[in-house]
Every structure is written in C-alpha cells, then in structure tokens.
Amino acid sequence: MKTKNIEKIIKPPAPHFVGNGFRVHGFIPGVPELSMRRMDPFLILDYNSTYYFPPSDEPRGVGVHPHKGFETVTLAYKGSVAHHDSSGGGGVIHEGDVQWMTAGNGILHKEYHEENFTKNGGDFQMVQLWVNLPAKDKTHPPKYQSITAEEIKKHILDNDNGVVEVVAGEYKNTKGAASTFTSVNLFNANLKKGGKADFSFPEEFTTALLVLEGEILVNNKKNVKTDHLVLFENEGEDFSIQAVNENALVLVLSGKPLREPIAAHGPFVMNSKKEVLQAFEDFNMGKFGYLE
Ligand code: MN
C-alpha cells in the first residue's frame, strides 16, 4: 500500500469563546485550508486546548440553542460537561467519555460545565466535532449516544506501544461502539514514549489528526507538536505516528465525504439556502420542542 503524506500541518488558530465555558481553537472551518468542503463530512472541529477554569458559583457554558441536519460529537479529555436536550437526552460527559448527538430533523440543547467541576474549577480540555448527515438522513429523529470511557473499545498495540481507543469505525478488527450514518472513523491513540501506531484509510476519505498531548513523528519524518492539526493528502492509504520524548495522545479522524451541497448557517447545516430558511422558520415556530 502507498504512504499517505501530510498535506499541511496547522498550528492552533487564535482561540475564541463559545458561550463562557468553551475556549476553542476553530480549526474547521476557521482555517482557510480546512473549509467544510475540503473536510467533508466534518463540518466543524472546535478544540478547547487545556485551559484552567477557576472555581465558580455559576456554571459556565452555552444556553439553549438549536441544531439541525448533522451530528455533534463531544469528546471530553479533561473536565466534565453536563448536557440536556429537547428530546429528553442528557447526562454528564466525564473525562474519557464521548457524547454522540444526532440533531437530525431538529433539536434544542444546552451544554454547561458539570456542577462539581464548576465548584472546584480545574483544567478543561475538549473537542467538539460536527459530522454532516447525508440529505436523506437530515430528517432523522434526534438521537443521543452516550459512550462512557469504559464502553470505548480498545485495541492494545503490540510490543507495549500503547492503546488505540476506537470511538467510531474500525481499527484492526476492533469496532467502535458509536453507530454512524456514514463511514466515520474516530480514534484516540494513546502512545507510550517511543510508541508507534500505523493507520490505513481509503484514498477518497478525508483524513486528519489532532495532537492532544505530547509531540509526534508522522511517517518517520515530520515532527508535529501538541495542539497542532495534520491534514493528510487523499493520495495514499497508510501513515504512521510515533510518540517523541514523552507519552502522546492523538485524535485520528477519517470519514467518507458525502459530496452533497453544503448550506450552513449558524446551527443549521442543510443542502440548500431554502432548507436553511425553513429550519429557521421551524425553529421560530417551536417545532424543535421545548427546553427550559
Ligand atoms: Mn450545541
């Protein structure tokens, strides 16, 4: 098989706050090279790099807001987030947990730091990824998958190199617990110092990785520092990563592009402007349900 080379290494763009609880680097589509079109089926990648929140009496976060036409995937690395939605879904995402929410035909939700985390304060590190839904599934009823750290399937690498956690998709015959509408691979690679892992994805898939901890060496030739994102070329299938100097944690994502028109406006991602306007109208009419 052919090596998949790096197309671009991207340093974290200047952070901005989402509500008052999420200090994120907006990689997709904030960085010109990472447009929704190029990153299809991934629409947004917001990365809250490790950031200390002091103790507070008021929970920080984002109040009630709608979504329609895609899925939000939240991965908690440090800190805890509480979530509630208008379909009755909800819960707390603790360190190592993943929440996979299908907004589908319309949902209201709110996302706040969990009560104890708010009281005690602490380091917070999180990724929120938006995965687009194909046109035929944009009307799917809202759905909520809570995948706890214990439920995430783990592939132990040979020779004590570390562990690849499979959130979605498949890694060397280990299948992720998340159900997805299209082919999406989402892995957390925990590499020990010097530990190495190799990956293989189809050429047509959009493939990238985000270094969450440590520094890595890609394809034995290029060093990538913490909080940096690597976009891979489509050409080639195989690449390797290795932890340099210390343990490393890497989020690996690869998904099959939908290749459908993208009409994105705020919290709605549809296929045409007309559908987006309809979504605003439905939201204003109260068709997304009710959430206090
Ligand atoms: Mn949201």
Side-chain angles (χ1 to χ4, degrees):
M1 295 280 248
K2 195 167 179 245
T3 300
K4 183 182 267 309
N5 290 310
I6 292 174
E7 180 169 316
K8 182 99 185 169
I9 298 172
I10 291 146
K11 65 176 196 295
H16 65 272
F17 266 87
V18 177
N20 63 356
F22 304 92
R23 179 187 177 271
V24 303
H25 305 279
F27 278 99
I28 311 174
V31 176
E33 290 90 343
L34 305 177
S35 66
M36 289 180 178
R37 171 58 55 203
R38 171 65 185 91
M39 299 308 288
D40 186 5
F42 306 111
L43 298 163
I44 279 188
L45 196 166
D46 272 352
Y47 172 44
N48 191 134
S49 58
T50 302
Y51 182 79
Y52 176 78
F53 283 96
S56 169
D57 295 327
E58 283 291 308
R60 300 181 180 93
V62 192
V64 176
H65 60 280
H67 289 299
K68 181 180 168 81
F70 58 96
E71 303 185 284
T72 66
V73 182
T74 307
L75 304 103
Y77 296 97
K78 293 174 189 150
S80 304
V81 169
H83 160 268
H84 299 276
D85 71 48
S86 52
S87 75
V92 176
I93 321 161
H94 293 290
E95 294 186 12
D97 297 345
V98 176
Q99 178 218 74
W100 200 294
M101 186 187 82
T102 307
N105 68 2
I107 199 167
L108 302 177
H109 81 156
K110 53 183 182 181
E111 299 152 284
Y112 279 101
H113 293 185
E114 179 267 340
E115 202 179 326
N116 280 317
F117 180 81
T118 300
K119 272 187 200 141
N120 299 323
D123 279 345
F124 192 80
Q125 187 188 27
M126 209 147 299
V127 167
Q128 190 170 84
L129 187 66
W130 291 14
V131 181
N132 206 1
L133 287 169
K136 66 176 177 58
D137 295 316
K138 285 184 186 294
T139 51
H140 194 282
K143 192 174 118 180
Y144 179 78
Q145 300 176 71
S146 159
I147 307 164
T148 63
E150 294 73 37
E151 289 163 345
I152 294 174
K153 299 286 184 291
K154 289 155 188 84
H155 177 94
I156 314 286
L157 296 163
D158 292 339
N159 306 318
D160 208 25
N161 277 305
V163 177
V164 175
E165 300 173 357
V166 185
V167 176
E170 186 173 343
Y171 180 74
K172 297 186 192 291
N173 299 320
T174 300
K175 286 191 172 74
S179 81
T180 61
F181 287 81
T182 56
S183 196
V184 177
N185 296 284
L186 200 57
F187 311 150
N188 282 314
N190 293 272
L191 300 176
K192 293 187 178 169
K193 180 184 171 180
K196 200 171 176 181
D198 54 86
F199 300 88
S200 186
F201 299 110
E203 290 197 329
E204 66 155 331
F205 281 32
T206 302
T207 302
L209 60 78
L210 179 63
V211 182
L212 299 155
E213 301 287 344
E215 183 177 334
I216 60 166
L217 183 65
V218 177
N219 290 336
N220 297 315
K221 58 183 177 194
K222 197 78 191 166
N223 282 62
V224 184
K225 288 183 163 41
T226 316
D227 298 337
H228 284 54
L229 184 142
V230 171
L231 172 62
F232 286 95
E233 291 178 347
N234 280 95
E235 204 183 334
E237 290 99 5
D238 302 343
F239 66 90
S240 70
I241 59 176
Q242 185 175 19
V244 184
N245 303 327
E246 55 182 326
N247 293 353
L249 174 59
V250 181
L251 174 66
V252 177
L253 49 151
S254 184
K256 186 180 180 174
L258 305 181
R259 303 201 194 287
E260 291 178 356
I262 300 169
H265 194 99
F268 307 127
V269 183
M270 306 302 291
N271 298 107
S272 70
K273 205 170 172 180
K274 195 177 159 211
E275 289 170 348
V276 170
L277 292 173
Q278 186 64 51
F280 273 104
E281 202 174 306
D282 290 348
F283 167 58
N284 288 330
M285 298 274 287
K287 288 187 183 170
F288 287 15
Y290 177 75
L291 184 67
E292 214 168 298

